[in-house]
Amino acid sequence: QQPVQSPQAVILREGEDAVINCSSSKALYSVHWYRQKHGEAPVFLMILLKGGEQKGHEKISASFNEKKQQSSLYLTASQLSYSGTYFCGTAITGNQFYFGTGTSLTVIP
Amino acid sequence: AAGVIQSPRHLIKEKRETATLKCYPIPRHDTVYWYQQGPGQDPQFLISFYEKMQSDKGSIPDRFSAQQFSDYHSELNMSSLELGDSALYFCASSLKAGVNHEQFFGPGTRLTVL
């Protein structure tokens, strides 16, 4: 039931772009994206809903393919502060929430 | 702006002891989630509450129980602690139940079982 993310880890130089993918074997009603820095709480980035609605930060973009049960997070012009572990998350039923396997992103100068 | 409050922030217990973790959601948020995160792992969903009623259960061991009180704060009770229970425990709250609302996470409680 846990969504699978790819890549597992990525290293970028400042200013480079990255794409993080999230794939589920179950039907998705929505996809959440969170970023977590080491030892800290996950921080909300974006929600993508069926029908194309999105809620989140203006500088973050993402896509949601309902038929393929996939979502992608697009990080452009990366900054050092983007470093962390990115998790997608899905609610299978009601309030039962599953985080993805995580993608570690490191931005270097 | 008010955030989710968790207490205590750190807790050290011996095997077979009990522990109680507390979570105070953001005011007006009626849904609370509990997660367990081991080192290098993703957060694992334990249990959720909506309007003081248990909503869904995930991988919560039978040794653990939780409830949400009339003031919407929630407590996670853990008994017969095992070494494997050592982890970061996060509480999150959202304004409404369901899949369409972002979760706001507390700072977590780091539980160490010796």
Side-chain angles (χ1 to χ4, degrees):
Chain A
Q1 290 183 328
Q2 179 180 35
V4 176
Q5 292 181 228
S6 63
Q8 286 186 321
V10 59
I11 299 175
L12 299 175
R13 291 197 177 275
E14 269 188 292
E16 291 183 337
D17 303 336
V19 179
I20 300 173
N21 301 302
C22 173
S23 181
S24 173
S25 60
K26 300 274 187 179
L28 298 177
Y29 297 97
S30 67
V31 177
H32 299 220
W33 285 96
Y34 292 85
R35 177 172 60 213
Q36 184 179 31
K37 294 186 182 286
H38 182 70
E40 300 180 6
V43 174
F44 166 75
L45 295 176
M46 175 167 284
I47 287 182
L48 301 104
L49 307 174
K50 273 189 168 182
E53 183 182 352
Q54 297 185 3
K55 294 192 287 185
H57 294 271
E58 294 178 358
K59 295 187 177 180
I60 302 284
S61 65
S63 63
F64 179 22
N65 187 323
E66 300 166 29
K67 288 185 179 179
K68 292 186 176 180
Q69 295 162 188
Q70 294 175 345
S71 177
S72 294
L73 184 70
Y74 305 98
L75 301 170
T76 57
S78 59
Q79 305 171 18
L80 294 177
S81 61
Y82 287 11
S83 293
T85 301
Y86 289 75
F87 291 103
C88 65
T90 62
I92 304 300
T93 58
N95 294 324
Q96 195 172 39
F97 194 80
Y98 291 93
F99 279 91
T101 50
T103 296
S104 174
L105 180 78
T106 304
V107 181
I108 57 176
Chain B
V4 177
I5 297 171
Q6 289 187 247
S7 67
R9 294 293 309 279
H10 301 272
L11 191 58
I12 299 175
K13 291 286 185 178
E14 300 276 344
K15 279 173 53 179
R16 291 180 288 278
E17 286 190 325
T18 61
T20 297
L21 310 185
K22 297 184 178 183
C23 169
Y24 298 85
I26 293 172
R28 296 192 301 116
H29 282 198
D30 53 19
T31 304
V32 168
Y33 304 81
W34 283 98
Y35 296 90
Q36 177 192 59
Q37 187 174 30
Q41 298 179 2
D42 57 284
Q44 294 288 313
F45 170 74
L46 294 178
I47 194 167
S48 61
F49 292 88
Y50 170 63
E51 279 292 344
K52 294 160 281 186
M53 299 287 290
Q54 181 182 303
S55 176
D56 286 275
K57 286 181 77 171
S59 53
I60 184 169
D62 292 339
R63 300 177 288 108
F64 294 7
S65 65
Q67 56 183 323
Q68 187 177 30
F69 295 86
S70 58
D71 63 352
Y72 291 94
H73 95 272
S74 179
E75 295 184 2
L76 178 66
N77 299 293
M78 311 160 72
S79 62
S80 302
L81 287 169
E82 302 173 356
L83 295 178
D85 296 331
S86 295
L88 254 178
Y89 289 83
F90 289 107
C91 162
S93 72
S94 66
L95 185 56
K96 293 181 182 179
V99 305
N100 296 344
H101 303 281
E102 61 265 42
Q103 297 177 41
F104 296 86
F105 283 78
T109 294
R110 183 173 295 281
L111 173 67
T112 303
V113 181
L114 303 175

